[in-house]
Amino acid sequence: MDREPLIACEHCASVYRRHALQRDEAATCSRCGTLLWRYTRLTPSEWLALVMAALVVFVVANAYPVASLSVQGVEQRATLLDAVLITWQQGHQAVAIMTGLAGFALPLLQMATLLWVLAPLAQGRRARGMSLAIRLLGWLRPWSMVPVFLLGVLVSVVKLAGMAAVQPEIGLAGFALLTVLLTMLGRLSPHALWRYAEACGAAPVHVPKLGQGEVLAGCHVCGQVQALPDLPGHAGDAHSCVRCDATVHLRKPDHLARTWALLIAASILYIPANLLPVMNISSLLGDSEHTILGGVVELWDGGSWDIALIVFVASVVVPLTKLLALVVLLVSVQRRSARNLRARTRMYELVEFIGQWSMLDVFVVIVLAALADFQGLMQISAGTGAAAFGLVVILTMLAAMSFDPRRVWDHAAPGDDEEPSASAHSHEHFQAGPLPGKPATAPVGYGSHPDRES
């Protein structure tokens, strides 16, 4: 085996030699169609500049109010932190903690971690504690929900427009720009950072030698491919990554039990999340309570059918889709089904992609609580259903993370659901997007294991 680095597909465990790509090229897995890696012309120095710009915009977005509301000459302005603080003071600490972490603390920590790693890499050096920092970054990425908060502010402005004079403020523009920057930085995955470290000599290129009774497997944290013992009944044994020292399993241990447990808990909480009010309104005209579907109907009756549709999709369709899709995936693995493997892989990718958007209604509630905080005139607060709904989002995301998509392919013979050619096809063929793809080399092996979970 030559010194060309290897890469493992996270969804089907196929292993490839990773070669350099040209401009606008991307490589996909020839077995399951997953995007493996893509060309990028940005250097660590340019990524560092983007991170610094994002941090400046983050400060501006949080320093200025996102919207203002005027009622009978009294004006109320609110920042994200105002919304979190008011929600806490109203006695809804669980909602305040969830939104404060997802909208403020975790995005800030994500950018600070990127800054810590990229500043030395831009100079061709390895950051202190780089392994731990990149492991932290991998954990933070799914939980940073700035785009969801931005959409929540827009929905809140539309909801209040019929009740009082509401105006968007500078902070809203800041969050819009921050969303663009964080979306760009989202392409800087932990695997990509380690590839940059290899390219500049800050990290060695490790190409494993496959011995007798061993199989190739990739580290879920850093992507490093390494040789692990192929022992029947020991697919869940823990090993240490040779590069980042993270725990590596040939397959996630007990993934079915954990995923079912999280999924059942989410399903149970989904009932009170929809039946209990997510928002309470107190005004001179009386008190009222609103459930998720009640809020959708109110938007629709008010003429904002487009916003109503967005809220309905994010708060009703998305959670149900995640729950049902995970049930289908779990049952198919338990039945050892070898049918529609690529379709099930795309289903898992969809569950991962839409995971955080269900938090929309929770962000809407805290923004409304901050803007409509007029003592004696009108006051909006979170309801019990908001906390339950936030927990549903968290549990379904954890369930998706616990599921091992490689198990979907363990029951297929090499070549099942694979295109006739041994090379991967264009990026455009497998993933939505205009980029033409770069054929990947033929797989050097599948990380399958004879101990197939039942």
Side-chain angles (χ1 to χ4, degrees):
M1 189 177 293
D2 55 31
R3 295 299 298 172
E4 199 168 29
L6 304 180
I7 186 171
C9 176
E10 291 186 271
H11 290 155
C12 73
S14 300
V15 179
Y16 297 86
R17 293 187 177 90
R18 194 183 78 238
H19 49 68
L21 298 177
Q22 301 301 315
R23 184 184 177 88
D24 294 334
E25 290 180 335
T28 54
C29 175
S30 64
R31 195 182 189 205
C32 70
T34 297
L35 178 66
L36 296 175
W37 76 98
R38 69 173 82 207
Y39 170 84
T40 177
R41 61 182 177 181
L42 295 180
T43 65
S45 298
E46 292 167 331
W47 283 115
L48 177 62
L50 277 176
V51 173
M52 295 176 70
L55 281 167
V56 172
V57 173
F58 180 86
V59 172
V60 173
N62 284 279
Y64 290 90
V66 293
S68 60
L69 180 70
S70 264
V71 176
Q72 298 182 1
V74 180
E75 187 177 61
Q76 181 73 25
R77 297 171 177 242
T79 64
L80 168 59
L81 292 180
D82 289 335
V84 173
L85 180 59
I86 289 174
T87 303
W88 180 281
Q89 291 173 343
Q90 290 176 343
H92 301 283
Q93 286 81 8
V95 176
I97 291 172
M98 284 187 287
T99 52
L101 287 174
F104 182 84
L106 297 184
L108 177 59
L109 185 55
Q110 179 188 5
M111 289 181 286
T113 305
L114 281 171
L115 184 65
W116 178 269
V117 173
L118 286 170
L121 274 186
Q123 302 174 0
R125 298 183 295 104
R126 177 169 174 163
R128 288 186 179 181
M130 179 174 170
S131 298
L132 183 59
I134 295 184
R135 287 165 62 183
L136 175 63
L137 180 65
W139 182 85
L140 291 172
R141 293 174 78 222
W143 304 101
S144 298
M145 302 183 187
V146 169
V148 186
F149 172 72
L150 172 65
L151 185 57
V153 175
L154 295 176
V155 172
S156 302
V157 169
V158 173
K159 272 180 167 288
L160 291 172
M163 302 168 57
V166 58
Q167 293 290 334
E169 298 287 346
I170 296 175
L172 183 60
F175 274 105
L177 180 55
L178 182 61
T179 296
V180 174
L181 292 172
L182 288 180
T183 301
M184 295 173 65
L185 290 172
R187 294 183 60 176
L188 199 58
S189 66
H191 295 193
L193 287 169
W194 279 109
R195 290 197 289 270
Y196 277 120
E198 289 178 346
C200 70
V205 176
H206 173 76
V207 180
K209 293 182 179 180
L210 198 61
Q212 185 70 26
E214 291 183 326
V215 66
L216 296 176
C219 173
H220 185 67
V221 176
C222 73
Q224 174 64 58
V225 175
Q226 47 218 291
L228 299 181
D230 185 21
L231 300 174
H234 293 271
D237 286 359
H239 307 273
S240 293
C241 177
V242 297
R243 179 163 64 183
C244 72
D245 204 35
T247 301
V248 179
H249 303 280
L250 188 58
R251 294 294 184 269
K252 293 180 182 178
D254 302 321
H255 83 120
L256 287 179
R258 286 199 315 275
T259 307
W260 272 120
L262 291 166
L263 198 58
I264 291 171
S267 301
I268 293 172
L269 282 172
Y270 188 68
I271 298 173
N274 283 274
L275 295 180
L276 295 177
V278 295
M279 182 173 63
N280 302 313
I281 300 179
S282 298
S283 67
L284 296 175
L285 300 177
D287 298 339
S288 60
E289 296 179 336
H290 299 262
T291 61
I292 292 174
L293 285 176
V296 172
V297 172
E298 181 182 339
L299 284 169
W300 187 279
D301 291 341
S304 302
W305 62 268
D306 48 351
I307 301 298
L309 185 61
I310 291 174
V311 174
F312 178 76
V313 170
S315 301
V316 179
V317 176
V318 169
L320 282 176
T321 299
K322 288 191 294 183
L323 292 172
L324 293 176
L326 285 171
V327 168
V328 170
L329 290 170
L330 288 166
V331 171
S332 67
V333 170
Q334 288 181 314
R335 291 185 175 181
R336 303 186 180 187
S337 173
R339 300 178 58 186
N340 302 319
L341 300 178
R342 284 194 174 209
R344 281 189 272 151
T345 299
R346 300 290 83 77
M347 183 185 296
Y348 179 73
E349 289 179 339
L350 175 66
V351 170
E352 284 192 310
F353 176 74
I354 65 177
Q356 62 178 233
W357 288 97
S358 300
M359 192 66 81
L360 174 63
D361 249 322
V362 183
F363 278 117
V364 169
V365 169
I366 70 163
V367 173
L368 291 176
L371 288 174
D373 187 30
F374 299 96
Q375 297 291 337
L377 291 176
M378 180 173 61
Q379 192 170 29
I380 295 178
S381 62
T384 309
F389 196 82
L391 289 175
V392 170
V393 177
I394 293 172
L395 289 172
T396 52
M397 290 179 67
L398 290 174
M401 295 173 189
S402 297
F403 181 77
D404 193 340
R406 296 170 297 185
R407 286 289 189 182
V408 171
W409 290 85
D410 280 351
H411 309 303
D416 281 4
D417 256 26
E418 186 174 353
E419 294 293 319
S421 170
S423 63
H425 297 268
S426 69
H427 176 225
E428 191 174 37
H429 181 79
F430 293 120
Q431 300 285 346
L435 297 179
K438 175 81 170 185
T441 56
V444 298
Y446 299 115
S448 58
H449 196 281
D451 174 40
R452 293 174 179 173
E453 186 168 321
S454 59

